[in-house]
Amino acid sequence: MVNKTTVVAAAQVLELLEIEGGEKVIVIGAGNGDLVIPIAHKTKDRVTALEKDEALLEELALRAEEEALSNIDRMPSGEGRLNFPDASFQRGLAAFVLDNTDDLELAAQEIYRVTIEKGIVVALGFSKDHSADLLTDKLTQAGFEVTSGELNEEVYYVKAYKA
């Protein structure tokens, strides 16, 4: 299986997230940590990594240990509601997962709920899936101010700001 994040430069994602060093970040679809590790290096606060595949979470744990990172919390994720209080995170990243969710509207509402005021969430997906417009609509309906674009010819991003 090709690692989906190999087509995305972590620097581009960090720039979109506008991490300044003290933000608590949630990463939905953490995978083996290709984007989690750079985020954890950039912020002094906690990074919560959600992933369905527990083997990938174990791989992430090993990578974090190798890089002496102690600010990553790994959690298996399932479908449905995010098990966090309202306004828990300053930043969020949904990496290649929202275009595969069963209930995109619920996902957008939950992401809005756990994001603080003035928080930023970035969603990544594959341009060929043509799901950027749908995701933009759902995040806008949830209450975010949204912009979108392409990181490269294969990957789109949707950047959501909670006013």
Side-chain angles (χ1 to χ4, degrees):
M1 183 172 117
V2 173
N3 185 346
K4 294 177 181 179
T5 57
T6 58
V7 296
V8 176
Q12 292 174 294
V13 175
L14 289 171
E15 185 177 322
L16 285 169
L17 286 170
E18 299 180 31
I19 295 176
E20 297 173 358
E23 296 84 1
K24 186 180 283 188
V25 182
I26 186 171
V27 179
I28 304 166
N32 68 358
D34 283 347
L35 295 172
V36 175
I37 297 289
I39 290 170
H41 277 295
K42 184 79 174 177
T43 186
K44 294 175 184 76
D45 209 322
R46 308 299 301 169
V47 177
T48 301
L50 304 179
E51 174 59 51
K52 283 184 182 182
D53 186 337
E54 293 196 37
L56 290 176
L57 285 177
E58 288 304 315
E59 189 176 334
L60 170 57
L62 292 172
R63 292 180 69 193
E65 186 176 324
E66 288 171 3
E67 299 208 23
L69 289 168
S70 60
N71 63 335
I72 300 173
D73 301 315
R74 296 167 290 108
M75 298 180 68
S77 68
E79 295 295 321
R81 300 195 182 277
L82 295 173
N83 193 22
F84 301 99
D86 294 357
S88 294
F89 301 96
Q90 288 86 13
R91 300 290 185 268
L93 173 65
F96 307 99
V97 293
L98 292 180
D99 45 3
N100 294 318
T101 188
D102 292 335
D103 191 342
L104 184 54
E105 187 170 343
L106 174 62
Q109 291 168 352
E110 281 295 284
I111 291 168
Y112 185 85
R113 182 184 66 76
V114 300
T115 304
I116 69 162
E117 189 175 316
K118 297 186 175 150
I120 296 170
V121 176
V122 173
L124 304 176
F126 288 106
S127 298
K128 67 180 182 214
D129 292 340
H130 306 292
S131 52
D133 291 340
L134 178 61
L135 181 54
T136 297
D137 289 345
K138 294 299 181 187
L139 289 170
T140 301
Q141 289 171 13
F144 286 106
E145 294 175 11
V146 180
T147 60
S148 62
E150 291 189 350
L151 293 180
N152 57 48
E153 64 184 30
E154 294 181 43
V155 178
Y156 72 82
Y157 71 87
V158 176
K159 183 174 180 177
Y161 177 76
K162 186 171 179 178

